[in-house]
Amino acid sequence: MSSNSAARSSNSSQACSTQHDRHGVIRPPRKGFVGPVKRSITIAGHATSISLEPIFWRLLETAALSHALPLSALVAQIDALRIATPEPPNLASALRTWIADTNCDIAKSNSQ
């Protein structure tokens, strides 16, 4: 397994793991509750601002590395998929949905 695959597997299982103690009581996230961070990304030659929580930025960066793409290229591909849907959500929602779905699928396949 490459280091990118290992990092992706580690990040994906962390993203989908249940945060609870030995008594089943839920815990806050390891890095605390953190609000969104705004970044500017160029898509199709146009700069756009996207606000995502740091965990989503980290997961997108990991996904971009594993696909051997710059972050902006990965975001552009997800944006193209989003636009092709009958009722496209906003870009930030599409990115969160894509990364959560992608990482949960990886976590499930690793646990089988």
Side-chain angles (χ1 to χ4, degrees), residues 9-10 12 29 34 37 50 52-53 57 64 83 108:
S9 296
S10 172
S12 62
V34 182
V37 174
I50 305 168
L52 293 173
E53 293 73 11
W57 284 120
I83 291 168
K108 285 178 192 172

Side-chain angles (χ1 to χ4, degrees), residues 8-9 13-14 22-23 28 32 34 42 53 56-57 64 68 76 78 84 107:
R8 188 171 166 199
S9 296
S13 61
Q14 290 173 5
R22 60 190 172 113
H23 302 290
V34 182
T42 301
E53 293 73 11
F56 288 105
W57 284 120
I78 296 167

Side-chain angles (χ1 to χ4, degrees), residues 5-76:
S5 297
R8 188 171 166 199
S9 296
S10 172
N11 285 342
S12 62
S13 61
Q14 290 173 5
C16 296
S17 66
T18 304
Q19 297 292 324
H20 58 81
D21 66 15
R22 60 190 172 113
H23 302 290
V25 176
I26 65 166
R27 300 176 299 187
R30 284 180 289 281
K31 295 194 179 214
F33 293 102
V34 182
V37 174
K38 188 176 282 194
R39 290 194 192 177
S40 181
I41 300 273
T42 301
I43 302 172
H46 296 90
T48 186
S49 292
I50 305 168
S51 293
L52 293 173
E53 293 73 11
I55 191 168
F56 288 105
W57 284 120
R58 286 191 302 273
L59 291 169
L60 280 170
E61 289 164 350
T62 300
L65 283 172
S66 70
H67 286 85
L69 292 170
L71 179 61
S72 59
L74 176 65
V75 170

